[in-house]
Amino acid sequence: MEQAEAHNGSGAGDASSAGAAGARPPTTPEGMALAYGSLVLMALLPIFFGALRSVSCAKGKNASDMPETITSRDAARFPIVASCTLLGLYLFFKIFSQEYINLLLSMYFFVLGILALSHTISPVMNKFFPVNFPNKQYQLLFTQGSGESKEEIVNYEFDTKDLVCLAMSSIVGVWYLLRKHWIANNLFGLAFSLNGVELLHLNNVSTGCILLGGLFVYDVFWVFGTNVMVTVAKSFEAPIKLVFPQDLLEKGLEADNFAMLGLGDIVIPGIFIALLLRFDISLKRNTHTYFYTSFVAYIFGLGLTIFIMHIFKHAQPALLYLVPACIGFPLLVALVKGEVAEMFSYEENSAPKEVPPGDAKEGKKEK
């Protein structure tokens, strides 16, 4: 999870600082400002809208829309699993042909990207369908065993509108697979990020602190301690990062000198910010103080990352700056308001869901 300059450059400052000065002209201040401004904006969008969607996603009837809850045990193990995965990818790229590995990864992310993008655009697209649109319901059901031991493996409900969204997403998928264009890469990256923030739920603030703290150490070690993360980021041709060309003003859409931001630097702080939004709502004060505080903290941390990167001309572990900001700012507000205990006692799904009176009566009748 680092911020770097180019797919084929180092993680530091300008592409010229990676030893590529002879290969391409130096980045202009305008192009650099446009690139990093766009990266910041693209990072904020999935966090903001993903957090809003996370509030209601647990109410969905579809199994695919149910959130995955991260416990403190999961949070403690995550940096270890992430380190093993990162090191494994590094060894794979060192031992096997990079071309074949990226071909397999492209197919894998082609399928995942289509599903993620379809899920992302579906709520928006549903507003554009005419009232008389012939919408039919479908169900994809896979079970295991028989009789009383029958167990559901997959239970996915969808309709014709979802199929239309899937077809539209497939066009982007084919574009990405054939061209690896940076716009297609970003569409998939934004979809992955939004889905991650929406569907990955921390069960409490303590778990969030454990997760962010562990990944803080993970990020610092693998960026500053070794060249593993930068090497994998440069070799890994998959939509796991948002990119924006710094030479867009000179070369247009065919620009190739990219600044980039890993999706982990969006999703990891994003799920913590989404948790604080749900905590705000649980307080029932019609204010989102902790959400907006952490959101501003994220902007501050990301801006500081970019600033430090250009001062030292080296790839920066963004979580080094994002984690203290995203935890520290809301905690400081809680200290001032005297709500630290209330914040840390908040438990996701601790309160039973309220059932509307009408539904309760219907339930009794069914009994």
Side-chain angles (χ1 to χ4, degrees):
M1 302 172 195
E2 83 287 351
Q3 223 166 357
E5 280 302 315
H7 292 294
N8 56 348
S10 82
D14 298 329
S16 57
S17 68
R24 61 183 68 182
T27 304
T28 62
E30 294 82 3
M32 192 181 300
L34 177 62
Y36 285 111
S38 299
L39 281 180
V40 171
L41 178 61
M42 286 192 291
L44 296 177
L45 289 175
I47 291 177
F48 186 83
F49 291 105
L52 293 178
R53 287 172 58 157
S54 76
V55 175
S56 58
C57 76
K59 301 176 184 178
K61 298 178 180 179
N62 204 337
S64 66
D65 295 330
M66 296 298 289
E68 183 72 26
T69 302
I70 300 173
T71 64
S72 57
R73 180 177 295 182
D74 299 327
R77 288 187 299 201
F78 195 86
I80 300 172
V81 174
S83 295
C84 293
T85 303
L86 182 67
L87 187 59
L89 284 170
Y90 177 78
L91 293 175
F92 263 98
F93 281 118
K94 288 293 184 182
I95 297 171
F96 300 103
S97 170
Q98 182 176 321
E99 181 182 353
Y100 293 120
I101 296 174
N102 279 318
L103 180 61
L104 291 174
L105 290 173
S106 294
M107 295 303 298
Y108 176 69
F109 281 98
F110 167 74
V111 176
L112 282 185
I114 289 174
L115 294 175
L117 187 58
S118 177
H119 180 265
T120 300
I121 66 173
S122 182
V124 178
M125 290 302 300
N126 285 340
K127 298 178 182 179
F128 292 94
F129 286 103
V131 179
N132 58 349
F133 183 82
N135 195 34
K136 295 183 179 180
Q137 300 294 324
Y138 303 93
Q139 183 178 23
L140 185 64
L141 180 63
F142 287 100
T143 60
Q144 177 179 301
S146 59
E148 295 182 356
S149 62
K150 182 181 287 187
E151 182 183 357
E152 285 187 3
I153 305 299
V154 175
N155 185 2
Y156 187 78
E157 297 177 5
F158 57 99
D159 54 29
T160 310
K161 294 178 181 178
D162 293 324
L163 293 178
V164 173
C165 293
L166 193 65
M168 294 174 63
S169 301
S170 298
I171 296 173
V172 177
V174 172
W175 182 25
Y176 170 77
L177 198 62
L178 296 179
R179 297 290 305 277
K180 293 290 192 302
H181 198 278
W182 61 273
I183 295 179
N185 173 90
N186 286 348
L187 289 174
F188 276 173
L190 289 169
F192 286 139
S193 300
L194 190 144
N195 278 273
V197 175
E198 176 188 359
L199 300 174
L200 292 175
H201 285 199
L202 296 164
N203 64 349
N204 54 49
V205 173
S206 297
T207 299
C209 293
I210 293 171
L211 179 66
L212 268 66
L215 289 175
F216 172 90
V217 176
Y218 159 90
D219 216 18
V220 172
F221 174 77
W222 289 112
V223 173
F224 285 150
T226 72
N227 69 335
V228 171
M229 186 175 288
V230 175
T231 301
V232 171
K234 291 187 295 182
S235 306
F236 205 88
E237 292 182 5
I240 59 166
K241 54 199 174 230
L242 297 180
V243 299
F244 200 92
Q246 299 182 85
D247 51 349
L248 179 69
L249 299 177
E250 291 80 20
K251 297 184 179 180
L253 295 180
E254 298 305 317
D256 58 359
N257 181 17
F258 295 101
M260 73 181 186
L261 178 67
L263 298 190
D265 299 328
I266 301 171
V267 176
I268 300 303
I271 61 177
F272 186 74
I273 293 170
L275 172 68
L276 293 180
L277 172 61
R278 298 192 295 275
F279 170 62
D280 274 325
I281 293 173
S282 73
L283 296 176
K284 298 179 180 179
R285 296 175 183 167
N286 295 323
T287 59
H288 298 154
T289 305
Y290 293 102
F291 170 66
Y292 289 123
T293 300
S294 57
F295 195 73
V296 171
Y298 181 85
I299 298 173
F300 171 79
L302 195 55
L304 184 60
T305 306
I306 296 170
F307 175 75
I308 297 295
M309 186 182 68
H310 284 284
I311 293 295
F312 291 99
K313 304 297 182 184
H314 188 278
Q316 294 296 310
L319 293 183
L320 173 63
Y321 310 97
L322 291 172
V323 169
C326 290
I327 293 179
F329 281 39
L331 187 58
L332 184 61
V333 171
L335 279 170
V336 172
K337 300 182 71 174
E339 295 177 345
V340 174
E342 196 170 356
M343 174 187 283
F344 280 89
S345 64
Y346 170 71
E347 189 79 22
E348 194 86 315
N349 300 324
S350 57
K353 292 182 180 179
E354 294 182 7
V355 180
D359 293 348
K361 292 178 182 178
E362 289 177 7
K364 292 179 180 178
K365 289 179 181 179
E366 288 176 2
K367 291 180 181 179

